[in-house]
Amino acid sequence: MADRLAALPPDIRHGLGRLWGLLPEARLVGGVVRDLLAGRTVADIDMATPEPPGRVQAILTAAGIKVVATGLAHGTVTAVIGGRPYEITTLRRDERTDGRHAVVAWTGDWREDAARRDFTINAMSCDRYGVVHDDFGGRVDLAAGRVRFVGDASARIREDALRVLRFFRFHARYGRGAPDAEAMGAIAALREHLSRLSAERVWSELRRILVGPGVVATLGLMDTCGVLACLLPEGCDLPALGRLIGTGAPDDSVLRLAVLARAAPDVLAGRLRLSRAETAALAAIRSGPLPDPAMDEDGRRRLLADEPAQALVGRSWRVQAERLGTRSPAWDALRADLLDRARPVFPLAGRDLMQAGMAPGPRMGQVLEQVRAWWLAGGCRAGRRDCLAYLERLVAGPA
């Protein structure tokens, strides 16, 4: 492992060197160890130390390192070196858990800390010399493509039901072959514990599954043990998601959710606590005029006059999946054209009607809509002068 530490980017090696100089007993933990062993790109740098969080903070601050108290209640501080964050957490043991939260106490026992982690591949640590400490067989499991819970699978799930969803996400990324039988049995038996989780935590994991590798197969596994029905009780259409992926559509969690889930957009948005932007994107994908490569210039301009290009592009992927389920140069060209076009803007407003002699009131809105309908029918080509001329004819009435 020492050679893999030496191969890290220079800025990370520099940061780790400073931290190990100040906290020599600290170790890399979790995902960074797993991904170094797997030969994958390292994203976040997490460390653990037997030092209590207050002392860690004092040592780093005295050395002139910026420290952010990101989670002192859980023993975590973040050191910022060269603009890169390094999370440092004091070794812990769980005092109490309720399926959502844990009350922790500090410990100096590395095995006790590793025992509270979710999967064996996430329970390894690596010291400053490159020695990997592995109390639960994570290294063998990683090499075998096996995702196993640390210790008793049922106990780990009862501690935090989110581990059910994390199991499927990690199996998709690191697993090979059939999933661990003990894990699947525990998940099936305890799937109702998912109802204890906040919608935000569920969506945070589900969105990662939706854009992860082998998503259709992963969701199929979730379906076989009843997890998918717990999350999306109105039902899912896995073949439809497969067709969407067959089109070459982008790895977008909201797009995939829109095609997968049968529930109405407002129901989905409420259940998963989607953001406003996600809710709007979901609704736009599900409903509205349908883009079609056969549309002429005027048809495309009319679409853009009513909706932004990004909304139309999202909907186009859904329609392509429904009609073809395969890649299509014609559909790709349509999307590129919609994104490249300037959006037509109706050139009149209420003040133009007042200047034409109309009094404010319901008829003003009706007339403005008549002019806009005429403008749309003409492919949104009429300029302000032509629209004003048409308005004057409407206001004047029959000759």
Side-chain angles (χ1 to χ4, degrees):
M1 187 68 152
D3 58 332
R4 304 197 180 188
L5 290 178
L8 285 168
D11 65 318
I12 295 180
R13 294 202 311 272
H14 170 72
L16 288 176
R18 288 198 67 188
L19 292 173
W20 269 321
L22 297 167
L23 302 166
E25 299 303 313
R27 298 180 191 172
L28 295 171
V29 292
V32 61
V33 182
R34 178 198 66 224
D35 287 340
L36 281 172
L37 288 172
R40 302 194 182 201
T41 301
V42 170
D44 301 323
I45 306 294
D46 294 331
M47 305 181 77
T49 176
E51 298 283 359
R55 177 159 171 74
V56 172
Q57 191 171 18
I59 290 172
L60 297 178
T61 301
I65 294 174
K66 179 181 178 181
V67 181
V68 182
T70 45
L72 276 181
H74 295 279
T76 301
V77 301
T78 299
V80 182
I81 302 174
R84 178 182 289 276
Y86 299 78
E87 277 204 355
I88 306 169
T89 302
T90 299
L91 297 179
R92 300 172 291 182
R93 66 172 182 269
D94 289 338
E95 296 281 275
R96 296 192 306 278
T97 59
D98 61 7
R100 296 178 63 185
H101 309 291
V103 176
V104 299
W106 317 139
T107 179
D109 188 329
W110 284 94
R111 181 183 174 86
E112 193 172 31
D113 182 84
R116 66 182 299 278
R117 296 181 182 270
D118 48 11
F119 310 115
T120 62
I121 62 173
N122 294 337
M124 296 179 283
S125 61
C126 175
D127 63 27
R128 63 187 302 186
Y129 304 107
V131 176
V132 174
H133 302 263
D134 178 16
D135 293 307
F136 299 100
R139 195 164 190 168
V140 172
D141 285 341
L142 185 65
R146 184 169 52 238
V147 178
R148 288 190 305 121
F149 284 97
V150 172
D152 180 66
S154 297
R156 298 289 81 75
I157 292 170
R158 288 192 179 94
E159 289 166 356
D160 186 354
L162 195 68
R163 288 169 173 170
V164 167
L165 302 186
R166 285 174 59 82
F167 173 82
F168 291 107
R169 177 161 67 86
F170 279 92
H171 178 74
R173 185 168 172 81
Y174 297 95
R176 294 194 301 275
D180 181 68
E182 181 190 352
M184 290 293 284
I187 288 168
L190 299 171
R191 62 185 183 272
E192 298 300 331
H193 286 230
L194 289 166
S195 64
R196 302 179 183 181
L197 298 173
S198 69
E200 292 85 355
R201 294 186 79 203
V202 169
W203 176 232
S204 176
E205 283 297 324
L206 181 58
R207 76 200 307 179
R208 296 182 188 184
I209 292 170
L210 286 170
V211 297
V215 57
V216 175
T218 300
L219 292 171
L221 288 175
M222 294 169 65
D223 193 33
T224 61
C225 57
V227 168
L228 206 53
C230 289
L231 303 181
L232 303 169
E234 294 82 7
C236 295
D237 191 338
L238 285 172
L241 180 58
R243 291 194 298 272
L244 175 70
I245 293 170
T247 65
D251 298 344
D252 181 278
S253 57
V254 174
L255 173 59
R256 291 184 174 181
L257 178 68
V259 171
L260 169 71
R262 292 196 175 103
D266 60 332
V267 173
L268 282 173
R271 176 173 293 118
L272 298 173
R273 298 282 178 85
L274 302 183
S275 68
R276 289 185 181 180
E278 290 169 334
T279 300
L282 183 69
I285 292 165
R286 283 288 194 85
S287 62
L290 302 183
D292 191 306
M295 278 182 164
D296 60 14
E297 289 275 318
D298 287 358
R300 297 180 185 202
R301 291 173 64 84
R302 278 191 286 269
L303 281 180
L304 284 168
D306 285 331
E307 296 185 84
Q310 286 292 352
L312 296 168
V313 165
R315 193 178 311 143
S316 76
W317 287 114
R318 175 180 67 81
V319 178
Q320 182 182 344
E322 291 172 353
R323 295 181 184 177
L324 295 178
T326 60
R327 294 176 181 269
S328 167
W331 280 93
D332 290 342
L334 170 65
R335 283 184 282 270
D337 181 48
L338 291 172
L339 290 169
D340 189 56
R341 286 176 181 268
R343 189 176 180 187
V345 178
F346 180 53
L348 299 190
R351 63 180 177 273
D352 296 304
L353 275 69
M354 295 176 65
Q355 290 173 2
M358 287 196 69
R363 176 160 164 69
M364 178 182 287
Q366 295 166 2
V367 170
L368 195 62
E369 278 303 308
Q370 282 183 274
V371 180
R372 191 173 189 278
W374 171 83
W375 176 74
L376 284 169
C380 314
R381 296 178 181 276
R384 177 175 171 78
R385 181 179 298 178
D386 290 334
C387 287
L388 285 172
Y390 184 73
L391 169 64
E392 288 174 3
R393 292 197 297 273
L394 283 178
V395 172

